[in-house]
């Protein structure tokens, strides 16, 4: 565990040592801020709906969710591998799992920092005399962090597969987009696949549908154990795959 | 070869087979991990392992406890099959809104009870598949759109999107000054869903017997005046509807819930009358639809309903026709007897008419008689479910038995009751309990009617064991008097379908008005009128946070440069 914490601190600090993270954060905050006021205007000043759009109900949210994790994780393994730092890290007295876990936590923490701006928006509304639904904001934040963890884990897998960060980012973005296509495939299952709507394949797609899991819980202001475990399980799966890929570098 | 090398065991390197072995291990581990990742969420949905914590201020993320309890009783999962199609413009937007909200509710319901509810969303572009599926589900009118069919086992209930789930104000689509967009006036997805659950959890389907052998309307007939479509609709709604062959056996079986007498033209036999009376006295339910011009002497349906407190006087209820251009009223036409009852003439709270009232529907009653109050049974009550307008009158037949459809001297003016719902405690030798509910059972749809066990009926054909059984098993008697058999006929069935089905459901105690707590939309509105609040928000979100991030970044960079 101490290894995880050490790696996490190093990675998180390292994110902010490079200008990339600051630029990403600045741009994301700027765009989110501008769009939040647009949502407020469009909703006639309804704060709760603007907050829920900001935390899941908008294209901007998914653009950030698809693009930021790959950009954050693309260098975490691939660049270290190409620069030789990874070999140094692998010979350190930390397990491969601790290395991956630390990096994953660092990337997820960065994303959590981004999504935590919703609390600032809600706080601003509170100061202006309008009480937002804090519970809903908290649940949506938790859902966003869990989803971010999943996308960061996918990014780490991509980063572990190659020594070129840009390729890693590209692969991760493609994988994220494909994951978000699952609801589309599910909704058109009878046309794309020759199966009725209650076929087990459609049910399996529902289980893998990230939007379905967020829609049924976080976006309603609910923490649902089944949906939390979905994100944790699939994040653990991709983290496991990343660990295995990092391990293979030992005997390449 | 050196002695040192001869004595030392050979070194093992990572040869191709070793790599293959390692690769196979990794692959196996990966497959196991994928399986575990798929299994964990599935396991997490099992009852006992699944938990939900609703943090929202309004509870919008949770089902009402009533709904959760209703779902919990099902051993087999309930399936909600969605058949949605966008309405044509100009109601496309409001239709899309209602559909989206309904889908959101169903997602919530499934998330709250993942092992108890399945939602199947059908693609309506495949029309043949939709019709086939609805045929399999035994719903009438294959090709129904904008419905949710809730079923479990053999029981099913159909929820219509724009009738049961929502009320929509269609607005005024005409461009110009009078334009008004369509809006959703009320959204009751959870209430409708809970009602459907209650309906399909009822166990044995209710059984309806139709009297025969006295010139009644044919239960299987398809001609204009027959009631074949009533039979089809009842079966589709989960009833067992059969003719009562009283000539062969005058007894009414114990498992009959409702007896329907639709326009009998001849008197009943004494045995039949006794059976019907005892059936009602022990908590049975009757739909009595005497024709206004049917015989009203002894042993007729008119006499029966009089026992229960309703009098069907001679004559037809008529109303003047209004010329749409001149607005003048006219009499003397047979069309004066073709009544169109709008919400003004409906009880807004009775279970039979409440959905019609809410949906701004109307019913057609051609050639209808009136219902007057007689001597109600002790503890009984009568509700006028449908009433005529104040400008109506009761047209009396002339010497030749014909009607002139004009208000003449001696003819009574309205309004008249056109359909009366009578309830009373089961009759018994012991004093009955104080009163029965004035309306059908509200809240949980319970119809516990109180009253004591009756012992006064002796060994009469049709006497139920419940007459001497547990008082808790007895329930209130219900009679619905609708002196307009043509309202159930083939021609007008579609126009009166809701009235007819609601009537049978009320008589069978399937008036499922489940009380679901209203959901506070939880509005938190920022005042945008003067722009100050919005400007402040904009400064905080678009300038404040990004600016702080930029400032921190620059400070951090400067600090790093110095250090």
């Amino acid at each position: 565990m101490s290894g995880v914490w050490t790696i996490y601190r190093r990675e998180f600090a390292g994110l902010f040592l490079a200008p990339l993270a600051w630029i990403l954060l600045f741009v994301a905050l700027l765009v989110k801020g501008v769009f939040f006021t647009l949502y407020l205007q469009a909703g006639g000043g309804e704060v709760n709906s603007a907050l829920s759009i900001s935390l899941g109900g908008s294209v901007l949210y998914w653009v950030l969710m698809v693009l930021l994790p790959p950009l954050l994780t693309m260098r975490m393994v691939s660049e270290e591998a190409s620069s030789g730092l990874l070999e140094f890290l692998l010979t350190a007295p930390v397990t491969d799992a601790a290395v991956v876990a630390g990096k994953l936590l660092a990337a997820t923490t960065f994303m959590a920092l981004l999504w935590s701006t919703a609390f600032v928006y809600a706080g601003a509304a509170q100061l202006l005399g309008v009480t937002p639904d804090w519970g809903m904001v908290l649940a949506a934040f938790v859902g966003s962090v869990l989803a971010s963890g999943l996308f960061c884990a996918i990014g780490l897998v991509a980063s572990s597969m190659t020594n070129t960060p840009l390729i890693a980012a590209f692969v991760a973005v493609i994988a994220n987009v494909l994951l978000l296509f699952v609801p589309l495939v599910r909704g058109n299952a009878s046309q794309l696949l020759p199966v009725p709507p209650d076929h087990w394949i459609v049910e399996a797609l529902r289980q893998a549908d990230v939007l379905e899991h967020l829609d049924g819980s976080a976006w309603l202001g609910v923490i649902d154990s089944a949906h939390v475990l979905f994100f944790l399980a699939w994040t653990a799966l991709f983290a496991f795959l990343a660990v295995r890929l990092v391990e293979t570098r030992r005997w390449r | 070869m050196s002695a040192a090398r001869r004595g030392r065991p050979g070194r093992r390197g990572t040869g191709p087979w070793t790599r293959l072995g390692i690769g196979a291990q990794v692959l196996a581990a990966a497959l196991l991990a994928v399986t575990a990742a798929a299994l964990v969420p599935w396991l997490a949905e099992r009852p006992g392992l699944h938990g939900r914590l609703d943090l929202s201020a309004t509870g919008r993320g949770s089902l009402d406890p009533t709904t959760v309890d209703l779902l919990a009783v099902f051993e087999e999962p309930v399936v909600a099959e969605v058949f949605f199609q966008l309405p044509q413009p100009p109601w496309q937007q409001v239709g899309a809104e209602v559909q989206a909200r309904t889908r959101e509710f169903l997602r919530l319901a499934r998330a709250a009870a993942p092992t108890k509810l399945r939602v199947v969303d059908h693609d309506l572009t495949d029309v043949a598949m939709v019709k086939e599926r609805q045929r399999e589900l035994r719903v009438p009118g294959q090709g129904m759109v904008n419905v949710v069919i809730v079923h479990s086992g053999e029981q099913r209930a159909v929820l219509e999107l724009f009738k049961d789930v929502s009320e929509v104000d269609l607005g005024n689509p005409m461009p110009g000054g009078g334009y008004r967009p369509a809006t959703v006036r009320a959204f009751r997805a959870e209430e409708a869903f809970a009602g459907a659950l209650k309906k399909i959890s009822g166990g044995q389907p209710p059984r309806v017997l139709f009297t025969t052998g006295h010139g009644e309307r044919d239960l299987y007939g398809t001609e204009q005046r027959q009631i074949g479509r009533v039979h089809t609709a009842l079966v589709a709604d989960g009833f067992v509807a059969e003719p009562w062959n009283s000539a062969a056996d005058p007894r009414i079986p114990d498992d009959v819930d409702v007896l329907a007498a639709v326009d009998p033209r001849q008197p009943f036999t004494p045995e039949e009358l006794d059976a019907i009376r005892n059936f009602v006295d022990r908590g049975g339910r009757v739909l009595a639809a005497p024709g206004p011009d049917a015989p009203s002497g002894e042993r007729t349906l008119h006499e029966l309903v009089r026992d229960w407190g309703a009098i069907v006087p001679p004559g037809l209820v008529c109303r003047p026709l209004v010329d749409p251009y001149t607005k003048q009223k006219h009499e003397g036409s047979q069309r004066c007897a073709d009544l169109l009852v709008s919400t003004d003439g409906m009880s807004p709270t009775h279970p039979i008419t409440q959905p019609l009232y809410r949906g701004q529907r109307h019913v057609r009653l051609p050639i209808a008689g009136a219902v007057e109050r007689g001597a109600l049974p002790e503890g009984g009550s009568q509700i006028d479910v449908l009433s005529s307008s104040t400008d109506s009158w009761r047209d009396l037949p002339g010497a030749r038995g014909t009607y002139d459809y004009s208000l003449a001297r001696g003819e009574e003016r309205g309004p008249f009751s056109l359909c009366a719902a009578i309830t009373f405690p089961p009759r018994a030798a012991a004093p009955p309990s104080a009163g029965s509910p004035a309306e059908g059972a509200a809240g949980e749809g319970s119809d516990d009617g109180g009253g004591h066990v009756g012992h006064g009926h002796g060994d009469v054909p049709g006497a139920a064991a419940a007459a001497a059984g547990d008082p808790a098993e007895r329930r209130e008697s219900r009679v619905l008097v609708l002196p307009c058999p043509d309202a159930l006929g083939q021609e007008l069935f579609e126009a009166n379908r809701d009235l007819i089905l609601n009537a049978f459901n009320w008589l069978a105690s399937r008036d499922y008005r489940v009380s679901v707590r209203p959901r506070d939309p939880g509005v938190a509105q920022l005042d945008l009128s003067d722009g100050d609040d919005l400007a402040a928000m904009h400064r905080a979100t678009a300038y404040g946070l990004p600016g702080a991030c930029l400032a921190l970044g620059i400070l951090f960079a400067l600090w790093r440069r110095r250090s």
Side-chain angles (χ1 to χ4, degrees):
Chain A
M1 274 305 287
S2 62
V4 174
W5 177 244
T6 306
I7 300 292
Y8 165 72
R9 274 185 358 194
R10 171 182 169 273
E11 286 295 330
F12 191 66
L15 277 175
F16 289 97
L17 286 175
L20 177 64
W22 290 104
I23 294 168
L24 287 176
L25 199 56
F26 171 74
V27 171
L29 287 176
L30 181 65
V31 174
K32 271 174 66 69
V34 168
F35 272 79
F36 181 73
T37 47
L38 289 177
Y39 302 148
L40 267 181
Q41 271 187 303
E46 221 299 290
V47 171
N48 288 331
S49 72
L51 285 169
S52 64
I53 292 172
S54 174
L55 273 176
S58 63
V59 173
L60 174 65
Y61 175 89
W62 289 107
V63 167
L64 293 174
M65 189 71 87
V66 164
L67 290 180
L68 282 186
L71 293 175
L72 290 172
T73 56
M74 66 180 179
R75 302 193 311 171
M76 281 186 173
V77 179
S78 61
E79 191 174 82
E80 289 188 351
S82 64
S83 66
L85 277 172
L86 186 64
E87 284 180 17
F88 177 75
L89 190 62
L90 293 181
T91 55
V94 288
T95 60
D96 297 341
V99 169
V100 170
K103 291 174 185 290
L104 176 61
L105 281 174
T108 307
T109 304
F110 182 93
M111 294 300 295
L113 203 62
L114 175 65
W115 303 129
S116 65
T117 53
F119 292 106
V120 177
Y121 300 162
Q126 182 87 59
L127 287 173
L128 290 170
V130 175
T131 305
D133 188 343
W134 287 100
M136 186 207 72
V137 175
L138 176 62
F141 170 75
V142 169
S144 299
V145 170
L146 288 171
S148 301
L150 174 60
F151 285 103
C152 287
I154 294 172
L156 271 177
V157 170
S159 186
S160 306
M161 287 164 57
T162 175
N163 288 347
T164 310
L166 278 179
I167 295 176
F170 179 75
V171 170
V173 168
I174 297 296
N176 292 346
V177 169
L178 285 175
L179 194 57
L180 293 181
F181 262 76
V182 168
L184 198 65
V185 171
R186 191 178 132 225
N188 294 285
S190 58
Q191 289 162 345
L192 294 169
L193 312 161
V195 295
D198 55 350
H199 198 267
W200 69 267
I201 291 178
V202 179
E203 178 63 20
L205 287 173
R206 184 189 74 80
Q207 291 280 356
D209 185 350
V210 170
L211 272 75
E212 173 81 14
H213 288 288
L214 289 174
D215 215 2
S217 58
W219 293 343
L220 295 173
V222 172
I223 309 279
D224 189 311
S225 62
H227 297 167
V228 168
L229 281 172
F230 163 79
F231 284 109
L232 290 177
W234 283 80
T235 303
L237 168 66
F238 285 107
F240 172 82
L241 293 176
V243 168
R244 294 279 83 84
L245 284 168
V246 167
E247 218 173 61
T248 61
R249 290 178 182 275
R250 293 179 188 279
W251 45 269
R252 270 188 206 170
Chain B
M1 187 185 296
S2 69
R5 283 191 70 185
R6 267 200 307 266
R8 194 171 62 217
R11 256 181 84 238
R12 289 174 63 188
T14 52
W17 290 109
T18 308
R19 287 170 188 254
L20 191 64
I22 294 171
Q25 283 179 27
V26 169
L27 186 62
L31 284 173
L32 278 173
V34 170
T35 309
L39 270 178
V40 164
W42 180 84
L43 274 173
E45 288 183 344
R46 303 303 104 189
L49 298 175
H50 181 225
R52 277 173 78 86
L53 178 64
D54 191 345
L55 299 176
S56 65
T58 57
R60 63 185 279 252
S62 306
L63 289 184
D64 190 278
T66 307
T67 315
V68 175
D69 290 342
L70 284 171
L71 275 171
V73 302
F74 287 91
E75 290 181 3
E76 278 182 37
V78 174
V79 183
E81 305 208 21
V82 176
F83 298 89
F84 285 173
Q85 187 179 68
L86 270 183
Q88 296 294 323
W91 298 291
Q92 201 172 44
Q93 192 173 346
V94 72
E97 181 188 339
V98 174
Q99 288 175 0
R101 289 173 72 175
T102 306
R103 283 194 168 104
E104 183 188 325
F105 165 74
L106 289 172
R107 269 199 298 273
L108 163 65
R110 182 179 51 203
T115 59
K116 291 291 185 182
L117 175 66
R118 277 178 48 217
V119 179
V120 179
D121 207 329
H122 289 273
D123 177 14
L124 260 64
T125 56
D126 189 347
V127 175
M129 186 278 297
V130 166
K131 285 186 176 178
E132 178 58 34
R133 183 61 190 145
Q134 290 186 359
R135 198 176 300 122
E136 287 171 10
L137 292 171
R138 301 199 311 277
V139 294
Q142 279 84 28
M144 293 174 74
V145 296
N146 293 322
V147 294
V148 178
I149 300 174
V150 182
H151 63 95
S152 177
E154 291 301 310
Q155 301 287 342
R156 65 211 168 283
V158 178
L159 298 177
E160 295 186 37
L161 199 62
F162 301 110
K163 189 184 81 173
D164 303 306
V165 176
S166 68
E167 283 174 37
V168 171
D169 177 356
L170 295 178
N172 180 9
M174 301 305 292
Y179 170 76
R180 200 162 44 84
T183 54
V184 179
R185 207 162 38 203
F187 185 73
R188 289 187 297 271
E190 187 167 3
E191 189 180 324
F193 182 69
L197 287 179
K198 194 141 193 201
K199 193 172 178 181
I200 66 175
S201 69
Q204 286 290 96
R207 193 174 169 202
V208 182
L209 283 190
F210 284 77
T211 61
T212 61
H214 315 89
E216 290 94 340
R217 306 292 175 98
D218 185 358
L219 182 60
Y220 302 112
T222 55
E223 293 82 28
Q224 186 176 342
R225 297 181 76 237
Q226 309 311 330
I227 57 173
R229 296 182 78 178
V230 172
H231 175 261
T232 307
L234 286 175
V235 169
D237 205 36
F239 287 87
V240 173
E242 296 165 331
W244 177 34
N245 191 355
S246 51
D249 185 356
R251 290 178 298 178
I252 298 177
D254 291 346
D255 64 345
V256 169
D257 297 275
V258 180
L259 185 74
V262 183
D263 198 18
R265 313 297 284 185
Q266 289 153 24
F268 293 101
T269 64
E271 292 79 20
E272 288 167 342
L273 275 182
D274 281 342
I276 296 171
R277 287 193 176 106
N278 284 300
F279 169 73
V280 174
D281 286 349
R282 57 182 163 87
R285 282 90 188 279
V286 168
L287 170 71
D293 54 349
S296 58
E298 282 189 14
R299 294 188 280 116
T300 61
L301 189 57
H302 286 72
E303 183 187 297
L304 260 181
V305 300
R306 190 187 292 267
D307 285 350
W308 301 320
I311 299 170
V312 179
L316 301 179
V317 178
C318 296
R319 45 91 188 170
L321 297 175
V322 179
D323 189 306
Y325 302 105
T326 64
K327 306 296 180 194
Q328 281 190 336
K329 294 187 177 182
H330 299 278
E331 297 173 7
S333 163
Q334 189 176 355
R335 288 171 51 215
C336 292
D338 190 354
L339 306 178
L340 195 69
V341 181
S342 67
T343 52
D344 289 340
M346 290 182 190
S347 167
T349 53
H350 195 276
I352 293 175
T353 46
Q354 186 186 53
L356 300 170
Y357 185 89
R358 280 178 176 172
Q360 300 279 304
R361 306 291 173 93
H362 51 257
V363 298
R364 268 188 71 187
L365 300 180
I367 317 296
V371 184
E372 292 179 350
R373 293 191 183 218
L376 286 171
E378 195 169 344
S381 64
Q382 179 174 329
I383 300 285
D384 295 333
V385 173
L386 296 172
S387 304
S388 65
S389 55
T390 50
D391 59 358
S392 59
W393 71 94
R394 187 157 55 82
D395 202 59
L396 297 174
R400 295 179 188 175
T402 56
Y403 297 91
D404 62 3
Y405 307 105
S406 298
L407 178 62
R409 190 193 296 268
E411 290 179 341
E412 192 182 348
R413 275 190 170 276
F416 302 99
S417 172
L418 300 170
C419 179
I422 301 168
T423 57
F424 51 91
R427 287 160 160 166
S433 60
S436 60
E439 296 278 350
E444 299 303 310
S446 166
D447 59 348
D448 295 314
H452 295 274
V453 173
H455 297 287
H457 303 293
D459 184 20
V460 187
D470 185 356
E473 292 297 312
R474 304 197 64 198
R475 50 183 196 167
E476 67 179 11
S477 303
R478 294 182 179 179
V479 177
L480 190 71
V481 183
L482 174 65
C484 181
D486 282 348
L488 288 81
Q490 300 286 91
E491 186 185 353
L492 291 178
F493 175 77
E494 276 308 315
N496 296 330
R497 179 195 182 89
D498 293 340
L499 173 74
I500 295 165
L501 287 178
N502 291 350
F504 278 99
N505 278 304
W506 176 71
L507 287 167
S509 290
R510 296 206 306 175
D511 49 324
Y512 298 117
R513 292 181 305 161
V514 180
S515 175
V516 169
R517 61 182 165 85
R519 291 178 185 279
D520 177 4
V523 172
Q525 202 92 18
L526 206 58
D527 182 11
L528 301 182
S529 56
D530 57 4
D532 289 344
D533 285 354
L534 187 65
M537 186 65 84
H538 187 73
R539 280 195 293 273
T541 59
Y543 300 135
L545 271 179
C549 171
L550 188 64
L552 268 175
I554 292 171
L555 283 173
F556 190 71
L558 289 173
W559 172 78
R560 277 205 69 209
R561 186 173 287 184
R562 285 184 188 170
S563 62

